């Protein structure tokens, strides 16, 4: 490709230079002829009347004198009596009309041109000078073999250079393909380093996503296997008659509990799949986060009472831009976790308020803070970075015993991301947990709507 581009560039440059030099040559020859004609005019009529005009024949300039009708009176290269009338020649006609004229006539081979310049004398006669000159095309034609050799050398150099540059260009990419995890400079062009680093980042992200998906698949299989095994075991005992009538209600309760767990798992898995699809359209509206928090607390009152946990809601009306279903899901998962992993006689505090400062880049608009705090078991520091991963549990036995699917906080993380919100976790083992989510403020709707 580089060789083709080089060849086209050379041909285009040659064509342009030919045109430029041809124009310069025409201007120069016409200028020389004009100066010569003016010198002859200054010499006067004696110049050709006495025959001295014939002396210019050796200079390569043809001199012709015509009367006002175009009849040839004198020519230094031919017998004037044998020449036809020149009144129809372009340069002669221009000279008769405007005082001077010029023209260029090309030969049939395009290698030579004849230049003409004529002026009208005071007595009405026309003096014309003519000269043959080789054209630029002819000059190029004479050196065409040399040009071909130069082109051949340039093409070979272009091929070699393109091969060298291409190899140097793709070297870091080949090196990256052979050892994608190798650290250090990739080599090659400095301009490629951002691209190489971007490829490495994308690969690391791909490997990470692949690992997460593999772990997710393994975890799903494991989580589904546990309740299915329990259901199958209870059903087999009842089917074979090994279970007494007194045991059947207990087995039925176990089947029911395991089935509920399966449904919860399937629903959460499907929900995560929906949230993973970034192309899924979401309807956003202005939501009163404080009202949503109060509704969520009311919904969880029964479960909280069973756990001996008190739910408190405090704050003020704060409006956010969000999807209603997702906002309710986020609140429910955060509050449900705070109830599940609390202690007997503990509390869950839901607080909604405006941040102390405006949103950066949007003066007058504050961030809206949702804070869910509990007095529960807390999360050890070494587990806090992974607590939002799918199926990750700090205490697996207690989590399953409390009926959790291990996907609630993963769903929360996705919902936060889809709302361009920020989330912060503060926790200490044995001292409770507080999760804060910061949303963009939405102007409240007019009163009465």
């Amino acid at each position: 490709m580089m060789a083709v581009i080089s060849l086209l560039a050379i041909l285009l440059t040659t064509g342009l230079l030919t045109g430029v030099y041809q124009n310069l040559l025409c201007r120069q020859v016409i200028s020389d002829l004009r100066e010569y004609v003016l010198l002859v005019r200054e010499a006067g009529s004696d110049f050709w009347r006495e025959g001295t005009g014939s002396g210019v024949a050796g200079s390569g300039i043809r001199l012709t004198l015509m009367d006002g009708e175009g009849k040839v009176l004198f020519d230094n290269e031919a017998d004037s009596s044998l020449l036809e009338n020149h009144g129809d020649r372009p340069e002669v006609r221009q000279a008769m009309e405007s005082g001077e004229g010029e023209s260029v006539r090309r030969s049939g081979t395009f290698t030579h041109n004849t230049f003409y310049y004529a002026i009208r004398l005071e007595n009405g006669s026309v003096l014309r000078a003519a000269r043959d000159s080789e054209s630029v095309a002819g000059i190029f034609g004479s050196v065409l073999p040399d040009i071909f050799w130069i082109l051949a050398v340039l093409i070979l150099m272009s091929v070699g250079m393109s091969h060298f540059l291409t190899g140097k260009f793709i070297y870091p990419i080949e090196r990256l393909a052979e050892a994608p995890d190798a650290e250090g400079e990739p080599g090659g062009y400095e301009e490629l380093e951002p691209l190489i680093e971007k490829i490495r980042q994308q690969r690391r992200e791909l490997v990470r996503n692949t690992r997460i998906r593999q772990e997710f698949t393994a975890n799903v299989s494991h989580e589904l296997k546990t309740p299915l095994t329990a259901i199958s075991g209870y059903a087999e005992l009842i089917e074979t008659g090994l279970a007494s009538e007194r045991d059947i209600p207990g087995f039925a309760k176990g089947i029911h509990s395991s089935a509920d767990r399966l449904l919860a798992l399937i629903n959460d898995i499907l929900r995560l799949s929906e949230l993973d699809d970034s192309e899924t359209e979401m309807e956003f509206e202005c939501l009163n986060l404080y009202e949503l928090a109060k509704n969520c607390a009311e919904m969880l009152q029964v479960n909280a009472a069973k756990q001996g946990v008190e739910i408190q809601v405090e704050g003020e009306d704060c409006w956010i831009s969000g999807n209603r279903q997702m906002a309710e899901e986020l609140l429910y998962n955060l509050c449900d976790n705070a109830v599940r992993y609390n202690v007997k006689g503990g509390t869950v505090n839901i607080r909604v308020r405006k941040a102390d400062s405006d949103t950066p880049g949007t003066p007058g608009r504050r961030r809206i803070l949702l804070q869910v705090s509990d007095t529960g078991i807390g999360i050890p520091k070494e587990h806090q970075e992974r607590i939002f991963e799918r199926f990750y549990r700090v205490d697996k036995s207690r989590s399953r015993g409390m009926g959790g699917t291990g996907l609630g906080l993963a769903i929360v993380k996705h919902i936060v991301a889809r709302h361009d919100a920020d989330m912060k976790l503060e926790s200490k083992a044995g001292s409770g947990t507080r999760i804060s989510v910061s949303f963009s403020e939405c102007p409240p709707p007019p009163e009465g709507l």
Side-chain angles (χ1 to χ4, degrees):
M1 180 58 71
M2 186 175 290
V4 174
I5 294 174
S6 300
L7 179 60
L8 292 176
I10 292 170
L11 293 176
L12 181 60
T13 303
T14 302
L16 291 174
L17 289 176
T18 300
V20 170
Y21 285 131
Q22 180 65 34
N23 183 63
L24 290 175
L25 177 64
C26 291
R27 292 294 92 205
Q28 184 61 47
V29 174
I30 292 294
S31 177
D32 292 345
L33 289 177
R34 183 176 184 276
E35 291 180 4
Y36 192 87
V37 168
L38 293 177
L39 287 174
V40 172
R41 184 183 67 177
E42 294 297 326
S45 59
D46 292 340
F47 184 81
W48 51 82
R49 185 175 299 161
E50 296 176 0
T52 55
S54 60
V56 300
S59 65
I61 298 177
R62 182 176 182 178
L63 207 60
T64 306
L65 180 66
M66 294 152 280
D67 62 14
E69 300 297 327
K71 180 182 177 181
V72 179
L73 302 177
F74 170 80
D75 191 281
N76 67 333
E77 291 187 358
D79 186 350
S80 59
S81 62
L82 300 178
L83 297 176
E84 60 184 5
N85 190 290
H86 285 14
D88 60 344
R89 307 296 167 86
E91 68 280 0
V92 176
R93 189 167 58 252
Q94 291 174 21
M96 290 178 179
E97 295 174 356
S98 61
E100 61 179 338
E102 62 183 58
S103 67
V104 179
R105 287 192 276 280
R106 293 174 173 79
S107 66
T109 61
F110 294 99
T111 59
H112 287 77
N113 297 324
T114 302
F115 296 83
Y116 297 91
Y117 182 82
I119 59 172
R120 186 181 64 218
L121 303 179
E122 293 180 358
N123 60 5
S125 60
V126 176
L127 180 63
R128 185 188 73 176
R131 181 178 181 179
D132 290 335
S133 177
E134 189 174 8
S135 67
V136 174
I139 295 173
F140 273 109
S142 63
V143 296
L144 200 58
D146 296 329
I147 292 177
F148 281 143
W149 279 110
I150 293 173
L151 284 176
V153 172
L154 289 175
I155 289 173
L156 289 175
M157 290 178 62
S158 299
V159 171
M161 185 61 69
S162 64
H163 181 73
F164 170 75
L165 292 177
T166 301
K168 188 175 181 181
F169 184 83
I170 66 173
Y171 167 73
I173 300 176
E174 291 178 341
R175 181 181 173 187
L176 181 65
E178 294 172 356
D181 297 322
E183 296 296 332
E185 296 298 326
Y189 295 101
E190 293 182 1
E191 294 80 1
L192 281 178
E193 292 178 9
L195 173 62
I196 298 300
E197 183 58 30
K198 185 68 176 179
I199 293 174
R200 282 177 174 167
Q201 290 178 356
Q202 290 178 344
R203 185 184 181 281
R204 286 194 289 265
E205 186 67 21
L206 180 62
V207 171
R208 177 178 170 275
N209 290 339
T210 301
R211 178 182 59 80
I212 291 175
R213 290 184 181 277
Q214 289 174 343
E215 289 180 358
F216 179 66
T217 302
N219 287 331
V220 166
S221 301
H222 178 72
E223 294 291 336
L224 292 177
K225 183 179 179 180
T226 302
L228 283 173
T229 301
I231 292 173
S232 177
Y234 289 137
E236 185 179 358
L237 289 174
I238 296 173
E239 180 186 20
T240 57
L242 294 177
S244 64
E245 291 188 10
R246 186 176 55 185
D247 295 329
I248 289 178
F251 290 168
K253 182 179 179 181
I255 291 173
H256 185 241
S257 175
S258 297
D260 285 344
R261 175 166 171 73
L262 273 177
L263 288 174
L265 276 169
I266 292 170
N267 287 333
D268 282 350
I269 292 169
L270 292 175
R271 188 62 180 138
L272 273 175
S273 297
E274 291 177 7
L275 293 172
D276 278 336
D277 185 3
S278 58
E279 296 181 0
T280 303
E281 295 184 2
M282 299 188 304
E283 292 186 5
F284 276 66
E285 58 182 307
C286 276
L287 304 172
N288 189 333
L289 188 60
Y290 182 60
E291 287 296 327
L292 294 179
K294 289 195 295 184
N295 293 339
C296 180
E298 185 177 345
M299 189 188 312
L300 287 170
Q301 281 295 348
V302 175
N303 287 340
K306 290 180 180 179
Q307 299 284 340
V309 175
E310 180 184 359
I311 300 181
Q312 303 170 349
V313 181
E314 58 183 73
E316 58 182 322
D317 288 336
C318 294
W319 298 83
I320 67 169
S321 176
N323 177 271
R324 180 175 294 275
Q325 179 187 357
M326 288 187 179
E328 291 174 346
E329 246 182 310
L330 180 141
L331 275 163
Y332 182 85
N333 282 325
L334 289 179
C335 297
D336 184 55
N337 269 6
V339 171
R340 286 177 187 273
Y341 302 104
N342 217 313
V343 294
K344 202 79 169 179
T347 60
V348 173
N349 181 270
I350 308 171
R351 188 181 183 193
V352 179
R353 65 180 180 88
K354 293 183 179 180
D356 297 330
S357 58
D358 291 346
T359 300
T362 314
R365 291 276 185 89
R366 293 187 178 181
R367 300 288 285 181
I368 303 301
L369 293 180
L370 166 67
Q371 294 178 320
V372 178
S373 307
D374 65 62
T375 58
I377 61 176
I379 304 169
K381 188 174 181 179
E382 63 269 19
H383 295 282
Q384 291 179 14
E385 289 186 2
R386 301 192 59 189
I387 198 66
F388 293 97
E389 294 180 9
R390 303 171 186 190
F391 292 114
Y392 188 83
R393 294 183 176 90
V394 177
D395 187 342
K396 297 183 179 180
S397 60
R398 173 164 182 168
S399 296
R400 290 196 181 93
M402 298 300 294
T405 63
L407 296 174
L409 290 181
I411 292 175
V412 167
K413 180 180 178 181
H414 276 70
I415 293 175
V416 167
R418 296 296 290 270
H419 284 74
D420 291 325
D422 299 314
M423 183 165 57
K424 181 181 179 182
L425 170 68
E426 300 170 88
S427 184
K428 186 176 180 182
S431 301
T433 300
R434 181 170 69 182
I435 296 179
S436 304
V437 183
S438 172
F439 295 92
S440 297
E441 184 182 20
C442 177
E447 293 185 9
L449 293 182

